[in-house]
Amino acid sequence: MRRTYLDNNATTPLHPEVMQVLKDSLGLFGNASSQHFFGQEARKAVEDARQKVATLINAKPGEIIFTSCGSESNNLVIKGVTCQDVYCKSEQSLPGKHIITSQIEHPSVMNPIKSLERQGFKVTWLPVDKYGMVDPELVEKAITKQTVLISIMTANNEIGTIEPVAEIARIARKHGVYFHTDAVQAVGKLNIDVQEMEVDFLSLSGHKLYAPKGVAALYIRPGVNVCPVLQGGHQERGLRGGTENTLGIIALGKACEIAARDREENVRKIWKLREKLRKGILEKIPEVIVNGHPEKVLPTTLSITFKYIEGESILLRLSSKGIAVSTGSACSSGTLEPSHVLLAIGLPHELAHGTIRFSLGIENTEEDIDYTLEILPGVIQELRQMSPLWPGNK
Ligand code: PLP
């Protein structure tokens, strides 16, 4: 059976060049903290990779901390900035207890913030417009003397909307508040420049940009005050204890080097495929809604609501025909709750339930889109014929 992978926002396959570098590095077992030559070899590989990650986002190598996943990077910022431990921060310099974020963040941002809320922090959960866009004016209005952190994602994983993060970062800077952006879905797809964006923290994750799972990074602007969450040894400037994942880090470095080299060409190609898919669906299938911003959107992401039917049934039928997509985000599938992102852009529950995310990547071809457009209309028609909600059945 033909296999068509359209779930690249959930995870990406390994890039063949990343796979090759991994194969070549399998024997590199030294501990990067050891002082002998085994250790030095590993240290050099880690530092080379750090340089490559830094180059991709226009940072300096010393500003990059390696972590195990995007979720860890996000937790490190949120818990590390708000830490109230007088061992890390003196009584006088304990941070304020107000955080600003949006209603459409990834659970790895929302859940640590909800935990702080339960511990007494005040949180402003900013609404978004019908495209999923945060209004920078609302961010500025929400800032108080107690605000210690603003966290707004660079691009949304479910609907692809690109947020005005540079503008929000300038507002945060003006008010002396730290600004974090979860750029896990944006790095490798958008031009990410931490100097231009003026962010204090930026999270990225290996498995969203053709490196393996289990490795990620966090950019930290020099001079900002953050406490470690994973306490241990002196690794990663004391901000993330634990022996470095040398192989993962090497792979992430390679993936970032490739992204810097190929990003523009890949984006052009993927955008064409996305547009072909979007137009094809609109042409062939009635009663659909395209979610997300019409222009300020990730080239890789196409969120479509198919009225009157369930996303899960669409997903399973497509899967049986060899097409892999997702409903909402992978992390919230498996629950019956509709996606918080789709609800936040104003979709009623029943429409949120009928939404499919197609997410494209570098391996997709015209044939993948042709095949999807050949299979999808029949799947939708069949499900609608069985749906009591479909007007034709009433
Ligand atoms: N942030 C966003 C926007 C994501 O899409 C994801 C993963 O889906 C994450 C964070 C978490 O990344 P990881 O899977 O590396 O923990």
Side-chain angles (χ1 to χ4, degrees):
M1 185 173 59
R2 196 191 156 85
R3 283 157 66 93
T4 299
Y5 187 68
L6 294 174
D7 200 14
N8 286 273
N9 284 15
T11 196
T12 52
L14 280 187
H15 192 289
E17 290 178 53
V18 172
M19 206 182 287
Q20 190 55 50
V21 163
L22 269 175
K23 281 184 192 159
D24 295 343
S25 309
L26 283 175
L28 194 74
F29 73 93
N31 183 326
S33 298
S34 300
Q35 288 179 339
H36 45 66
F37 57 91
F38 286 98
Q40 283 166 13
E41 279 166 12
R43 170 59 52 203
K44 179 167 182 328
V46 167
E47 296 315 318
D48 284 353
R50 203 186 303 279
Q51 173 71 61
K52 289 174 182 160
V53 176
T55 301
L56 179 64
I57 60 170
N58 195 23
K60 298 203 171 62
E63 299 162 355
I64 304 296
I65 297 291
F66 288 116
T67 64
S68 67
C69 57
S71 302
E72 186 191 331
S73 297
N74 289 340
N75 271 263
L76 174 51
V77 176
I78 293 160
K79 293 178 182 162
V81 165
T82 54
C83 174
Q84 303 278 319
D85 186 346
V86 286
Y87 175 77
C88 310
K89 294 178 176 152
S90 70
E91 197 91 55
Q92 296 80 3
S93 70
L94 283 184
K97 287 188 150 194
H98 176 230
I99 300 172
I100 300 171
T101 189
S102 83
Q103 291 174 7
I104 62 161
E105 299 298 313
H106 188 266
S108 59
V109 167
M110 291 186 111
N111 286 334
I113 294 181
K114 281 184 189 161
S115 165
L116 289 169
E117 200 172 29
R118 288 191 293 274
Q119 293 166 49
F121 276 71
K122 277 213 154 30
V123 180
T124 304
W125 299 96
L126 292 172
V128 291
D129 68 11
K130 64 177 178 179
Y131 298 127
M133 195 71 88
V134 173
D135 180 351
E137 264 184 41
L138 291 185
V139 176
E140 184 149 32
K141 276 195 195 135
I143 296 174
T144 71
K145 285 205 165 54
Q146 279 288 306
T147 312
V148 60
L149 180 67
I150 300 171
S151 182
I152 304 289
M153 68 204 321
T154 310
N156 185 267
N157 44 306
E158 294 189 40
I159 55 174
T161 297
I162 300 169
E163 302 295 339
V165 281
E167 210 179 319
I168 297 170
R170 271 194 295 281
I171 292 168
R173 177 74 53 96
K174 188 171 96 189
H175 290 271
V177 177
Y178 286 156
F179 179 65
H180 164 244
T181 189
D182 170 355
V184 163
Q185 290 292 349
V187 171
K189 300 163 194 166
L190 306 179
N191 179 25
I192 299 291
D193 180 326
V194 291
Q195 304 307 328
E196 246 172 47
M197 290 163 84
E198 297 193 55
V199 296
D200 296 303
F201 303 96
L202 181 143
S203 309
L204 62 95
S205 178
H207 75 105
K208 309 288 185 182
L209 68 147
Y210 309 99
K213 289 136 198 76
V215 66
L218 177 66
Y219 160 78
I220 306 182
R221 181 173 291 281
V224 308
N225 194 350
V226 59
C227 305
V229 169
L230 195 49
Q231 292 173 313
H234 54 271
Q235 293 93 349
E236 300 301 296
R237 295 195 278 122
L239 289 177
R240 202 272 180 181
T243 302
E244 293 87 345
N245 169 10
T246 317
L247 289 179
I249 290 171
I250 291 171
L252 177 59
K254 186 67 189 175
C256 288
E257 182 183 61
I258 296 167
R261 184 190 73 197
D262 296 350
R263 185 184 64 82
E264 286 183 16
E265 198 188 323
N266 286 338
V267 163
R268 260 195 302 277
K269 183 193 127 188
I270 294 170
W271 180 257
K272 262 178 73 183
L273 296 178
R274 179 203 190 262
E275 284 304 277
K276 180 177 166 130
L277 181 59
R278 183 182 64 82
K279 287 180 187 151
I281 291 174
L282 288 174
E283 244 171 59
K284 289 172 181 252
I285 306 174
E287 302 267 17
V288 299
I289 303 168
V290 180
N291 302 304
H293 197 280
E295 289 121 37
K296 291 176 187 155
V297 66
L298 289 175
T300 48
T301 310
L302 180 62
S303 166
I304 305 264
T305 300
F306 298 92
K307 293 186 190 171
Y308 313 112
I309 45 179
E310 286 283 323
E312 298 282 318
S313 325
I314 306 171
L315 181 152
L316 293 175
R317 284 189 182 225
L318 288 179
S319 180
S320 73
K321 304 272 186 194
I323 301 171
V325 297
S326 82
T327 57
S329 75
C331 312
S332 59
S333 67
T335 71
L336 286 175
E337 282 298 301
S339 139
H340 66 288
V341 176
L342 300 174
L343 295 182
I345 62 172
L347 283 191
H349 279 227
E350 66 277 12
L351 292 186
H353 276 304
T355 302
I356 289 288
R357 179 185 69 184
F358 302 88
S359 52
L360 290 80
I362 58 172
E363 296 207 327
N364 288 127
T365 59
E366 294 264 345
E367 289 72 40
D368 288 338
I369 305 302
D370 289 337
Y371 180 61
T372 306
L373 287 173
E374 185 190 316
I375 298 295
L376 184 64
V379 165
I380 302 297
Q381 197 187 6
E382 218 179 294
L383 289 170
R384 281 180 173 166
Q385 274 166 1
M386 295 190 296
S387 165
L389 302 171
W390 177 242
N393 293 340
K394 282 187 178 164

